Amino acid sequence: MTTPSTTALWLVGARGSVATTAAVGALAVGAGLAARTGLVGDAPELAPAGLPDLDRFVLAGSDIGGVALPKRAALLAEDGVIPAHLPAVLADALAEVEARIRPGIAPGHGAAAEQVRRVRDDLVDLQQRTGVERVVVVNVASTEPPVADDPAHASWPALRRALEAGEDVLPPSALYALAAFEAGASFVDFTPSAGARLPAVAQRAEEAGLPWAGSDGKTGETLVKAALAPMFTTRQLRVRSWAGVNLLGGGDGATLADPSAGLSKTRSKSRGLQAALGYPVDAPVHIDNVPDLGEWKTAWDHISFEGFLGTRMTMQFTWQGCDSALAAPLVLDLARLTARAHERGFSGPLGALGFFFKDPAGSGEHRLPQQWDALVAFAADLGAGQLGAGR
Amino acid sequence: MTTPSTTALWLVGARGSVATTAAVGALAVGAGLAARTGLVGDAPELAPAGLPDLDRFVLAGSDIGGVALPKRAALLAEDGVIPAHLPAVLADALAEVEARIRPGIAPGHGAAAEQVRRVRDDLVDLQQRTGVERVVVVNVASTEPPVADDPAHASWPALRRALEAGEDVLPPSALYALAAFEAGASFVDFTPSAGARLPAVAQRAEEAGLPWAGSDGKTGETLVKAALAPMFTTRQLRVRSWAGVNLLGGGDGATLADPSAGLSKTRSKSRGLQAALGYPVDAPVHIDNVPDLGEWKTAWDHISFEGFLGTRMTMQFTWQGCDSALAAPLVLDLARLTARAHERGFSGPLGALGFFFKDPAGSGEHRLPQQWDALVAFAADLGAGQLGAGR
Amino acid sequence: MTTPSTTALWLVGARGSVATTAAVGALAVGAGLAARTGLVGDAPELAPAGLPDLDRFVLAGSDIGGVALPKRAALLAEDGVIPAHLPAVLADALAEVEARIRPGIAPGHGAAAEQVRRVRDDLVDLQQRTGVERVVVVNVASTEPPVADDPAHASWPALRRALEAGEDVLPPSALYALAAFEAGASFVDFTPSAGARLPAVAQRAEEAGLPWAGSDGKTGETLVKAALAPMFTTRQLRVRSWAGVNLLGGGDGATLADPSAGLSKTRSKSRGLQAALGYPVDAPVHIDNVPDLGEWKTAWDHISFEGFLGTRMTMQFTWQGCDSALAAPLVLDLARLTARAHERGFSGPLGALGFFFKDPAGSGEHRLPQQWDALVAFAADLGAGQLGAGR
Amino acid sequence: MTTPSTTALWLVGARGSVATTAAVGALAVGAGLAARTGLVGDAPELAPAGLPDLDRFVLAGSDIGGVALPKRAALLAEDGVIPAHLPAVLADALAEVEARIRPGIAPGHGAAAEQVRRVRDDLVDLQQRTGVERVVVVNVASTEPPVADDPAHASWPALRRALEAGEDVLPPSALYALAAFEAGASFVDFTPSAGARLPAVAQRAEEAGLPWAGSDGKTGETLVKAALAPMFTTRQLRVRSWAGVNLLGGGDGATLADPSAGLSKTRSKSRGLQAALGYPVDAPVHIDNVPDLGEWKTAWDHISFEGFLGTRMTMQFTWQGCDSALAAPLVLDLARLTARAHERGFSGPLGALGFFFKDPAGSGEHRLPQQWDALVAFAADLGAGQLGAGR
């Protein structure tokens, strides 16, 4: 096997909690300073994929503000999200990443077409300066509200015309996806934002022969749902209702307490349950901003189900997780997998990455075991070409 | 496809809650009076197996006491375990089953060899009188304490000599298994008792070319464990401890509050977690007798796990289930599958039925998704012969 | 002690779940057919009050629709809210109550002043026909949306003028309260609706020398909050956030899923926590309609608190209760207490009944132990006059 | 008011987690470096007591081993039990306390009478060297197994004879209590060990005119039980069962996993519920050692209760607390209160301190609100003498 090629990981929202934890983690793991717990790409079942390791990545990105990465890492350490000693140990490496963070797309600051060009140029420039073979853009910025329908979303030609005419028809996440594709980079949306999912944007990726993945990383409640729903269905137990509440602090809590952005998230969370169960079910989901929880989120779910002869029973679970610690390794896994898919010539939505997402693009499968099987099969496909011709 | 052949289901502990619920359910479902919720054998994925339907079964069994089946059904209806109207509707059919219940093996009442012969004769007699093609014995009696080691357990010849010498080396569950094999019947142990698992008894089944399955039906906490453990492992999250408590009322609670019988159960519950996770973990399990809960059981589990960069997180779940309503359809599923395996010429422990058990005989697999895949593959095997030669 | 005087209990929403359970319970307990569990008025500490027993009450009321009481009782028995045998045993008595149910106030059906007169006449008529000494009106109808401010709410003269002018300035709950006071009856609001709380309506009660109580019966989550908040405060543990979610089925769930009515409820639920703790705290509360839960409600609360040296800890609780079974005895208790207060000459808001309410009128106390102490003291006051002059 | 007098706080088990947290906290709060959260003695309702503040205490104690206090504090900071910066800031002060820690009583090391004399001498010596007006001994050592009955426990004369005869009839906790009383010091048992509860030892305290308090600090599950039980009783809801499980790590978990010591604890935990409810109830309690939880403990309780017309309902709660952070301020509160009682001339068991204990000596009251009221009344008594003569 040849040495995996080098890749740049461009994080949109590069100074946020998830991006900072991912950066600290990639640097720490790459330097042998931290265990590899939580990295799905390390599973023996995925070894055939020949994924690039974390020390093969150059980290960079963009943000519309925020404190500098080394400072942000120190704050996360204070909150117990990352080990207390790492920010100091990694100070130089974090400063290098910070130096590669460019201004992000701020709504209302310039024409959309111009913003796409600017980000594209940033990506191309990064690739040239660092000499990496390819770039993968991962969106971990704040969740956007749902996008209003627009005729320009229907096809890439229509969208191009609208952008050239100066129309404001795309949210930032989609502008980033376009910029990635214009720069020959792959794209991953870890948020429920539109990203590459609008038909016109997806068409642009297809045209450019580039892979992309999304959307909305599955880090807590929805992960458990995806694991438990098949238990009920294979046992032929009928779920009658599945209600959930999510308490979030931090910036995420504040963003999602805004009903319009929260709507993107709760829609994304609800979509999968019916698919996983195979029938519709009452499944209210709430998100509450509870600032004192900080980076920690607590979810409680109540499941009412029916068994033999109509007997009604219930299950409840509480999930108390650190959002950034759950999300960061998945961001790195997705970068490794998508970069490898790019290298191996895959294009379009990578449905086999549904294991990572609440709302998987390119797949209608929401059952975790089946998503895992699909991921393992994909890993074999990624590695197959090692031994022979490309696809 | 030819009409599935008729089978007798002989329940050991035939007047207990699980057996009574199974009998009421089989009669109600067979007569179209109740929905089929909870019957795993109805899953479309298992259709290739060509399982006999519930109306093809003759119900019978043995018990060492207990109130008559129609009365027991009425008591379960009062407790809300079965629908209030069914005992009256099914009164005649239940009385017929009651008429087929024979005295069970009571410890200390006669020589073991004699007891085996008596049960064997009961089984042969049932088959001759009813004209069924085969008999499947399912043990749903009270859990026995762990069996003390004995040299006679090592091989069938040694065991036969010991029994002929009048030695008392087997618990009732193993005597029933032996009796089943002597009568040419298959055997399923739904409890954590020894049943057919002692090497000598398993050897007897092999010699007779008969299939058997066990042990300890997976109806609640362990079912959830089997579904959740793979979520942690595929996400590379490291489980640090997994503590559980089970509150049980009813006869089961009283039996398992006896430390010696409880030991069989908690051992059976603990065995699987390490196998499912792939590494050892602190996993204390308690069973408490809480009489006021009646037929309902409540389990609470607390899982401590570690994610990226060592962050510690927790998950808890509460399961509030009706034990008999969860167990009864599995008893019927196991009877259908084992009888079909018998018909198709399978022998020895049916490892592919591990989906149903806490402590699967013939399989080291404890992850629910993998157990489901094995069951689906087994269903295909069961059906394959439909189209051609036997095995 | 003389025999307690007879009273009529007029239930607004007389065919609803709470009213039906209260009626069945009053009749069953009065006839010695059911235990007295849940009746606060039976506590030995309240014995000095000399409360009238349940067999001294004549039941009546109004509703704007609904199935007849005997049928409703049968439906509740099917849902397991009341014992299965009671509807048949009490059939005649329930039919008598049904015969005393009059049409309720439906919004938009006639001028407000006219509606008040009609209800007043119904109350007076009831008293004359049955010969009871007094009437207590208890509102258990559906929760109303918050009332828009109106200048007529400020004083009874202003309100009287507005009503006479045909203005529609009062919700039904307030019209019922007015009608009660016009008829010389006392009034209890078991819902979070306006009832007697508008200053103008309360002024009318004061003028008439009549007692009233409210509002919003404390039956589940808020009850637990009131019990736990003093635990935190007396231990000097600082609550940082207290988030709650309520899953409700039945008509109540549907009503409160309507954001405007739900707002009355969540406001009522939030008000007390700050008062009980003595400082403001983030306390989001959600109500979700989950129809499959029927008459059962499940609440989950998550409390984050801080201890010595700033250590952060959490507590969670789940409450799974049958709303009508929790509310009905309180309705009867409130009728007994308010009727007795009426008899003893009390007037105005009965702050000492805050033990029963989420949002107690006439009291700022929300800590359950202190509310209990106030109730016990009130019981002594109620009984004091037994021995001497009135007040 | 005169300046409160100075006191020495002698901690038995002075290098354990609770004692170390108490020492760090007393020093930090006394120096204005930490907030006073969790200190019950600071409640405004207790102000009349005129309690000495933390800066009036000299800290000392004994232990049979363990790492030095400054090191232990550093370990607790690593575990997040105390703020990371405090061990360094308080290094000198902690070293001073460490210098005052004397060897503890190790079972089997010398005659009991001799050990009592040695500890007495240590206490007297401390008082003379530091010039404090009095000493209070608080036992926070590991829980002992229940004590076997012995005739010498019946009276102080009998016990004195047995000790002089060299008999080994007392556990260390009782030897410490005796030593305290011999030295003219007061005594508090924060553990479920025998301490001063044996009649002979209590008689010695009475004879010496010294106050004592105990036993078993109420820091988690039992605290919640004491707060919730009165909610059920005042609402006349009948508790049917109350099952609990406690997951503990740290040294406490290991000690209590030993069935004999665990028995002391679970007995202590069970005693109160029946008293608080007023009737017996099935209430199994388990303690599990889960080492990975470290200083944190998690309790889960399941309460089954019955309401109006026999409806059965349930409540569950989970408590996730840091044991040392919960216990340490109570240790300081008890020292303040007991020292003040000593100063004010109280003697014998201080039943009014039951608010702090699972198994209150001198009181049969287990309801938290009533315990609070008793504590507030006691505070008034403690202060009363300020204005006039002693008692």
Side-chain angles (χ1 to χ4, degrees):
Chain A
M1 190 186 291
T2 61
T3 299
S5 52
T6 56
T7 307
L9 166 53
W10 181 279
L11 292 157
V12 179
R15 295 193 190 98
S17 295
V18 173
T20 305
T21 306
V24 167
L27 295 168
V29 169
L33 297 169
R36 307 180 65 95
T37 313
L39 286 166
V40 172
D42 282 22
E45 293 91 335
L46 304 188
L51 299 181
D53 202 353
L54 298 181
D55 58 4
R56 310 295 297 170
F57 279 86
V58 172
L59 302 177
S62 67
D63 210 320
I64 56 173
V67 299
L69 208 55
K71 173 69 178 166
R72 182 63 186 232
L75 294 172
L76 288 172
E78 275 176 32
D79 283 356
V81 178
I82 60 176
H85 66 290
L86 284 183
V89 174
L90 299 172
D92 292 350
L94 287 167
E96 279 178 39
V97 179
E98 172 65 26
R100 286 191 291 264
I101 298 180
R102 309 286 304 147
I105 297 177
H109 284 252
E114 178 52 38
Q115 289 176 314
V116 170
R117 273 190 293 274
R118 181 171 60 75
V119 174
R120 181 204 59 194
D121 292 349
D122 284 343
L123 295 171
V124 169
D125 179 61
L126 173 73
Q127 186 167 2
Q128 290 174 344
R129 280 191 297 108
T130 59
V132 295
E133 296 184 29
R134 65 193 59 80
V135 179
V136 53
V137 174
V138 181
N139 180 22
V140 287
S142 292
T143 294
E144 299 165 355
V147 184
D149 285 341
D150 190 286
H153 295 166
S155 74
W156 169 231
L159 178 58
R160 183 162 43 190
R161 279 192 302 275
L163 291 174
E164 283 168 2
E167 292 179 32
D168 182 19
V169 295
L170 289 187
S173 63
L175 298 177
Y176 281 112
L178 265 191
F181 301 146
E182 294 291 331
S186 56
F187 180 80
V188 177
D189 205 327
F190 202 77
T191 80
S193 302
R197 301 193 74 137
L198 298 172
V201 181
Q203 200 177 329
R204 180 68 188 93
E206 203 71 51
E207 187 185 288
L210 289 164
W212 59 275
S215 51
D216 204 5
K218 186 161 62 185
T219 56
E221 185 196 27
T222 312
L223 174 66
V224 182
K225 276 183 173 170
L228 288 179
M231 178 189 80
F232 289 105
T233 53
T234 56
R235 281 296 177 100
Q236 303 286 109
L237 300 166
R238 183 163 187 91
V239 174
R240 294 170 52 87
S241 66
W242 193 312
V245 64
N246 291 266
L247 312 181
L248 309 176
D252 216 25
T255 301
L256 298 172
D258 170 20
S260 61
L263 194 56
S264 295
K265 176 66 75 173
T266 55
R267 273 188 196 166
S268 172
K269 288 174 88 73
S270 300
R271 239 168 246 155
L273 186 61
Q274 174 166 343
L277 291 173
Y279 50 87
V281 66
D282 257 326
V285 177
H286 277 302
I287 297 177
D288 272 325
N289 180 28
V290 182
D292 98 274
L293 296 181
E295 291 288 331
W296 291 76
K297 69 175 174 188
T298 296
W300 174 75
D301 274 35
H302 178 278
I303 307 151
S304 164
F305 63 97
E306 186 175 310
F308 198 48
L309 303 178
T311 306
R312 297 194 188 170
M313 303 177 259
T314 57
M315 180 177 176
Q316 302 170 45
F317 69 83
T318 304
W319 174 270
Q320 294 170 299
C322 177
D323 204 34
S324 298
L326 289 162
L330 305 183
V331 166
L332 299 174
D333 286 324
L334 285 164
R336 293 163 81 189
L337 284 156
T338 306
R340 179 67 173 140
H342 186 181
E343 181 183 10
R344 298 288 308 123
F346 286 77
S347 68
L350 300 174
L353 301 188
F355 180 75
F356 295 94
F357 294 115
K358 291 192 188 76
D359 190 16
S363 167
E365 181 61 74
H366 284 81
R367 296 170 296 174
L368 196 68
Q370 281 75 5
Q371 291 178 325
W372 175 247
D373 289 347
L375 181 61
V376 170
F378 182 62
D381 287 352
L382 284 177
Q386 295 291 105
L387 307 171
R391 349 173 339 123
Chain B
M1 191 185 293
T2 60
T3 299
S5 50
T6 57
T7 306
L9 166 53
W10 180 279
L11 292 157
V12 178
R15 296 193 190 97
S17 297
V18 173
T20 306
T21 307
V24 167
L27 295 169
V29 169
L33 297 169
R36 307 181 64 95
T37 313
L39 287 167
V40 172
D42 283 20
E45 293 91 335
L46 304 188
L51 298 181
D53 203 353
L54 299 181
D55 57 4
R56 310 294 298 170
F57 279 86
V58 171
L59 301 177
S62 67
D63 209 320
I64 55 173
V67 299
L69 209 55
K71 172 69 178 166
R72 182 64 187 231
L75 294 171
L76 288 172
E78 276 177 30
D79 283 357
V81 177
I82 60 176
H85 66 291
L86 285 183
V89 174
L90 299 171
D92 292 349
L94 287 168
E96 278 178 39
V97 179
E98 172 66 27
R100 287 191 291 265
I101 298 180
R102 309 287 303 146
I105 297 177
H109 285 252
E114 178 52 38
Q115 289 177 314
V116 169
R117 272 190 293 273
R118 182 172 59 75
V119 174
R120 181 203 59 194
D121 291 349
D122 284 343
L123 295 171
V124 169
D125 179 61
L126 174 74
Q127 187 167 1
Q128 291 174 343
R129 281 189 297 108
T130 58
V132 295
E133 296 184 29
R134 63 192 62 77
V135 178
V136 53
V137 174
V138 181
N139 181 22
V140 288
S142 293
T143 294
E144 298 166 354
V147 184
D149 285 341
D150 190 287
H153 296 165
S155 75
W156 169 228
L159 178 59
R160 182 162 44 187
R161 278 191 303 275
L163 292 174
E164 284 168 0
E167 291 179 33
D168 181 20
V169 296
L170 289 187
S173 63
L175 298 177
Y176 281 111
L178 265 191
F181 301 146
E182 294 290 329
S186 55
F187 180 80
V188 176
D189 205 327
F190 201 77
T191 80
S193 302
R197 302 194 74 138
L198 298 173
V201 182
Q203 200 178 328
R204 179 68 189 92
E206 203 70 50
E207 188 185 286
L210 290 164
W212 59 275
S215 51
D216 204 6
K218 188 161 62 187
T219 55
E221 186 197 27
T222 311
L223 174 67
V224 181
K225 276 182 173 171
L228 289 178
M231 178 189 81
F232 289 105
T233 54
T234 56
R235 280 296 177 101
Q236 304 287 108
L237 299 166
R238 184 162 187 92
V239 173
R240 293 170 53 86
S241 67
W242 193 314
V245 64
N246 291 266
L247 312 181
L248 309 176
D252 217 24
T255 300
L256 298 172
D258 171 20
S260 62
L263 193 58
S264 294
K265 176 67 75 175
T266 55
R267 273 189 197 165
S268 172
K269 289 175 87 74
S270 300
R271 239 168 247 154
L273 186 61
Q274 174 167 343
L277 291 173
Y279 50 86
V281 67
D282 257 326
V285 177
H286 276 302
I287 299 178
D288 272 325
N289 180 28
V290 183
D292 98 273
L293 296 181
E295 292 288 330
W296 290 77
K297 69 176 175 188
T298 297
W300 173 76
D301 275 34
H302 177 277
I303 306 152
S304 164
F305 63 97
E306 187 175 311
F308 199 47
L309 302 177
T311 306
R312 297 195 189 171
M313 304 177 259
T314 58
M315 178 176 177
Q316 301 169 46
F317 68 82
T318 304
W319 173 270
Q320 296 170 297
C322 177
D323 203 35
S324 298
L326 289 161
L330 304 183
V331 166
L332 299 174
D333 287 323
L334 285 163
R336 293 164 80 189
L337 284 156
T338 305
R340 179 68 173 141
H342 187 182
E343 180 183 11
R344 299 288 308 120
F346 285 77
S347 68
L350 301 174
L353 301 188
F355 180 75
F356 295 94
F357 295 115
K358 290 192 188 78
D359 190 16
S363 167
E365 181 60 76
H366 285 81
R367 297 170 295 174
L368 197 68
Q370 280 75 6
Q371 291 178 323
W372 175 248
D373 290 346
L375 182 60
V376 171
F378 182 62
D381 287 351
L382 283 178
Q386 295 293 104
L387 307 170
R391 352 172 334 124
Chain C
M1 192 184 294
T2 61
T3 299
S5 51
T6 57
T7 307
L9 165 53
W10 180 280
L11 292 157
V12 179
R15 297 194 189 98
S17 297
V18 172
T20 306
T21 306
V24 167
L27 295 169
V29 169
L33 296 170
R36 306 180 65 95
T37 314
L39 286 166
V40 173
D42 282 21
E45 294 91 335
L46 304 188
L51 298 181
D53 202 353
L54 298 181
D55 58 3
R56 310 295 297 169
F57 278 86
V58 170
L59 302 178
S62 67
D63 209 320
I64 57 172
V67 298
L69 208 55
K71 172 70 177 164
R72 182 63 185 230
L75 293 172
L76 288 172
E78 276 176 31
D79 283 356
V81 177
I82 61 176
H85 67 289
L86 285 183
V89 174
L90 300 171
D92 291 350
L94 288 167
E96 279 179 37
V97 179
E98 171 67 26
R100 287 191 290 264
I101 298 180
R102 309 286 304 146
I105 297 176
H109 284 253
E114 179 53 38
Q115 289 176 315
V116 170
R117 272 190 293 273
R118 181 171 59 75
V119 174
R120 180 203 61 194
D121 291 349
D122 284 343
L123 296 171
V124 170
D125 179 60
L126 174 73
Q127 187 167 1
Q128 291 174 342
R129 280 190 297 109
T130 59
V132 295
E133 296 185 30
R134 65 192 60 78
V135 179
V136 52
V137 175
V138 181
N139 180 23
V140 288
S142 293
T143 294
E144 298 166 356
V147 184
D149 283 343
D150 190 286
H153 296 165
S155 75
W156 169 230
L159 177 59
R160 182 163 44 190
R161 279 193 301 276
L163 292 174
E164 284 168 0
E167 292 180 31
D168 181 19
V169 296
L170 288 187
S173 63
L175 298 177
Y176 281 112
L178 266 192
F181 302 144
E182 294 291 331
S186 55
F187 180 80
V188 178
D189 204 327
F190 202 77
T191 80
S193 302
R197 302 194 74 138
L198 298 172
V201 182
Q203 200 178 329
R204 179 68 188 93
E206 204 71 51
E207 187 184 288
L210 290 163
W212 58 275
S215 50
D216 203 7
K218 186 161 62 185
T219 56
E221 184 196 28
T222 312
L223 173 66
V224 181
K225 276 183 173 169
L228 288 179
M231 178 188 81
F232 289 105
T233 54
T234 56
R235 280 295 178 101
Q236 303 287 108
L237 300 166
R238 184 163 187 90
V239 173
R240 295 171 51 88
S241 66
W242 193 314
V245 63
N246 291 266
L247 311 181
L248 308 176
D252 216 23
T255 301
L256 297 172
D258 171 20
S260 61
L263 193 58
S264 295
K265 177 65 75 174
T266 54
R267 272 187 199 167
S268 171
K269 289 174 87 74
S270 300
R271 238 168 248 156
L273 186 61
Q274 174 165 344
L277 292 173
Y279 49 86
V281 66
D282 257 325
V285 177
H286 277 302
I287 298 178
D288 272 324
N289 180 27
V290 182
D292 98 274
L293 296 181
E295 291 288 331
W296 291 76
K297 70 176 174 188
T298 296
W300 173 76
D301 274 35
H302 178 276
I303 307 150
S304 164
F305 64 97
E306 186 175 311
F308 198 48
L309 303 178
T311 306
R312 298 195 187 170
M313 302 176 261
T314 58
M315 179 177 175
Q316 302 169 45
F317 69 82
T318 304
W319 174 270
Q320 296 170 297
C322 176
D323 204 35
S324 298
L326 289 161
L330 305 183
V331 166
L332 299 174
D333 286 323
L334 285 163
R336 294 163 81 189
L337 284 156
T338 305
R340 179 66 173 142
H342 186 180
E343 181 183 11
R344 298 288 308 121
F346 286 78
S347 67
L350 300 174
L353 301 188
F355 180 74
F356 295 94
F357 294 116
K358 291 192 187 77
D359 189 16
S363 167
E365 182 59 74
H366 285 81
R367 296 170 295 173
L368 196 69
Q370 281 75 5
Q371 291 178 323
W372 175 248
D373 289 347
L375 181 61
V376 170
F378 182 61
D381 287 353
L382 284 177
Q386 296 292 104
L387 306 171
R391 6 177 316 129
Chain D
M1 191 185 292
T2 61
T3 299
S5 51
T6 57
T7 306
L9 166 54
W10 180 279
L11 293 157
V12 178
R15 296 193 189 99
S17 296
V18 173
T20 306
T21 306
V24 167
L27 295 169
V29 169
L33 297 169
R36 306 180 66 94
T37 314
L39 287 166
V40 172
D42 282 21
E45 293 92 335
L46 303 188
L51 299 181
D53 203 352
L54 298 181
D55 58 4
R56 309 294 298 170
F57 278 86
V58 171
L59 302 178
S62 68
D63 209 320
I64 56 172
V67 299
L69 209 56
K71 172 69 177 167
R72 182 65 186 230
L75 293 171
L76 287 172
E78 276 176 31
D79 283 356
V81 177
I82 60 177
H85 68 289
L86 284 182
V89 173
L90 300 171
D92 291 350
L94 287 167
E96 278 179 40
V97 179
E98 172 66 26
R100 286 190 291 264
I101 298 180
R102 310 288 303 148
I105 297 176
H109 284 251
E114 178 53 37
Q115 288 177 315
V116 170
R117 273 190 291 273
R118 182 171 59 75
V119 174
R120 182 205 59 195
D121 291 349
D122 285 343
L123 296 171
V124 170
D125 178 61
L126 174 72
Q127 186 167 1
Q128 291 175 342
R129 281 189 296 109
T130 58
V132 294
E133 296 184 32
R134 65 192 61 78
V135 179
V136 54
V137 175
V138 181
N139 180 23
V140 287
S142 293
T143 294
E144 299 165 354
V147 183
D149 284 342
D150 190 287
H153 296 166
S155 75
W156 169 229
L159 178 58
R160 182 162 44 187
R161 278 192 302 276
L163 291 173
E164 284 168 1
E167 291 178 32
D168 181 20
V169 296
L170 289 186
S173 63
L175 298 177
Y176 281 112
L178 265 191
F181 302 145
E182 294 291 330
S186 56
F187 180 81
V188 177
D189 205 326
F190 203 77
T191 80
S193 302
R197 303 193 74 139
L198 298 172
V201 182
Q203 201 178 327
R204 179 68 189 94
E206 204 70 50
E207 188 185 284
L210 290 164
W212 59 275
S215 49
D216 204 6
K218 187 161 62 186
T219 55
E221 185 196 28
T222 312
L223 174 66
V224 181
K225 277 182 173 170
L228 289 179
M231 178 188 81
F232 289 105
T233 53
T234 56
R235 281 296 177 100
Q236 302 287 107
L237 300 167
R238 184 164 186 91
V239 174
R240 294 170 51 86
S241 66
W242 192 315
V245 63
N246 290 265
L247 312 181
L248 308 177
D252 217 25
T255 301
L256 298 172
D258 171 22
S260 61
L263 193 58
S264 294
K265 177 66 74 174
T266 55
R267 273 189 198 166
S268 171
K269 289 174 87 74
S270 300
R271 238 168 248 154
L273 185 61
Q274 174 166 345
L277 292 173
Y279 49 86
V281 68
D282 257 326
V285 176
H286 277 302
I287 298 178
D288 273 325
N289 180 29
V290 183
D292 97 274
L293 296 181
E295 292 288 331
W296 291 76
K297 69 176 175 188
T298 297
W300 173 75
D301 274 34
H302 178 277
I303 307 151
S304 163
F305 64 97
E306 186 174 312
F308 198 49
L309 302 179
T311 306
R312 297 194 188 171
M313 303 177 260
T314 59
M315 178 177 178
Q316 300 169 46
F317 68 83
T318 304
W319 174 270
Q320 295 170 298
C322 177
D323 203 36
S324 298
L326 290 161
L330 304 184
V331 166
L332 300 174
D333 286 324
L334 284 164
R336 295 163 79 188
L337 284 156
T338 306
R340 180 68 172 139
H342 187 181
E343 181 184 10
R344 298 288 308 122
F346 287 77
S347 68
L350 300 174
L353 301 188
F355 180 76
F356 295 94
F357 295 115
K358 290 192 188 77
D359 189 16
S363 167
E365 181 60 76
H366 285 81
R367 296 170 296 172
L368 196 68
Q370 281 75 5
Q371 291 178 324
W372 175 248
D373 289 347
L375 182 60
V376 171
F378 182 62
D381 287 351
L382 284 178
Q386 296 292 105
L387 307 171
R391 2 172 323 124

